[in-house]
Amino acid sequence: MGEIRELARAVAADPGKPVRQEARASQRLSLNLATHPSSWSQEQADETVRRYTELAPVWDGERGGYRPVPLADALRRGGPFPAGPCLEVGCGTGLLSGLLAEVWPELISLDLTWAMLTRSSVPRRVLGDASQLPVRAGCAAAVVLADVPLFAGEVVRALAPDGVVVWSNALGEDAPHHVPIPPVLAALEDASGATWSAVTSPAGWGLWAVLRRES
């Protein structure tokens, strides 16, 4: 496995971190998807749409203060980043899209839930499933996954040879879709047959990693 380099914390964690009761069960599902992506089912997709349709009206109000923190730190300290199109997977209401557009003006934002997607103002929005990304192979300079499951084969397919993966969990190890960085790195290596490296850091209540293909 490639090198994982941890940077010192630059953004302090304030008191009052939220507790998501569903986190542990969701983490088990997310780890299973990272290692066994074929286990994703239509029933899981339907349940995801149902849940996030309910959350859409309150998403920004409940999460807008803390979700951008680790991603902003990743974009400040995780570079340099290649130029080109960025694919934001699981964009939701577009809460993080503005940060990404500052680095990658050509931003394509994808989400599975129409009720979330319609709240985003990003010009290029796509309704789609992360397990079957509706993009051509090798098109993306970056694939950003902020609190969404990892389908490593599709991420690798979408990435340009020098592309990067930006991984962000807004509540860190307590985030519902948190998967530790070593399994994320291993999944990308298995899917690509190449060695990858990662730079990572905690930030606020969350953590982030930027992963690159080395060979």
Side-chain angles (χ1 to χ4, degrees):
M1 184 182 297
E3 178 187 10
I4 300 174
R5 180 167 60 96
E6 184 166 344
L7 303 183
R9 177 188 286 273
V11 183
D14 295 329
K17 183 178 180 179
V19 175
R20 303 296 180 204
Q21 298 298 330
E22 76 280 9
R24 293 295 174 250
S26 295
Q27 287 175 0
R28 288 192 293 271
L29 288 173
S30 292
L31 179 58
N32 186 59
L33 288 173
T35 54
H36 301 93
S38 62
S39 65
W40 181 245
S41 66
Q42 186 60 52
E43 288 76 16
Q44 287 174 292
D46 292 344
E47 173 58 22
T48 298
V49 171
R50 184 201 65 76
R51 171 167 170 72
Y52 285 95
T53 296
E54 291 180 355
L55 287 172
V58 298
W59 187 258
D60 288 6
E62 291 185 353
R63 293 163 169 82
Y66 69 85
R67 289 201 71 233
V69 173
L71 181 61
D73 193 47
L75 298 178
R76 279 193 301 267
R77 300 199 292 148
F81 297 110
C86 172
L87 178 61
E88 180 187 14
V89 179
C91 67
T93 61
L95 186 59
L96 306 177
S97 302
L99 291 172
L100 299 175
E102 291 178 5
V103 179
W104 295 284
E106 191 176 347
L107 177 65
I108 303 164
S109 297
L110 176 140
D111 203 275
L112 182 62
T113 304
W114 182 247
M116 298 286 275
L117 197 65
T118 55
R119 285 170 166 78
S120 171
S121 60
V122 174
R124 298 182 181 90
R125 286 169 288 165
V126 179
L127 184 68
D129 193 318
S131 69
Q132 294 181 305
L133 293 173
V135 298
R136 61 180 175 80
C139 71
V143 175
V144 178
L145 303 135
D147 292 297
V148 295
L150 169 68
F151 292 93
E154 280 296 279
V155 170
V156 167
R157 184 186 67 80
L159 272 179
D162 64 342
V164 299
V165 176
V166 181
W167 175 261
S168 175
N169 289 150
L171 294 176
E173 294 179 358
D174 298 313
H177 291 294
H178 171 68
V179 176
I181 303 306
V184 173
L185 191 69
L188 291 169
E189 290 187 337
D190 288 346
S192 63
T195 301
W196 288 64
S197 65
V199 59
T200 181
S201 179
W205 293 331
L207 61 82
W208 59 265
V210 176
L211 304 106
R212 292 177 170 83
R213 189 164 15 201
E214 299 294 323
S215 61

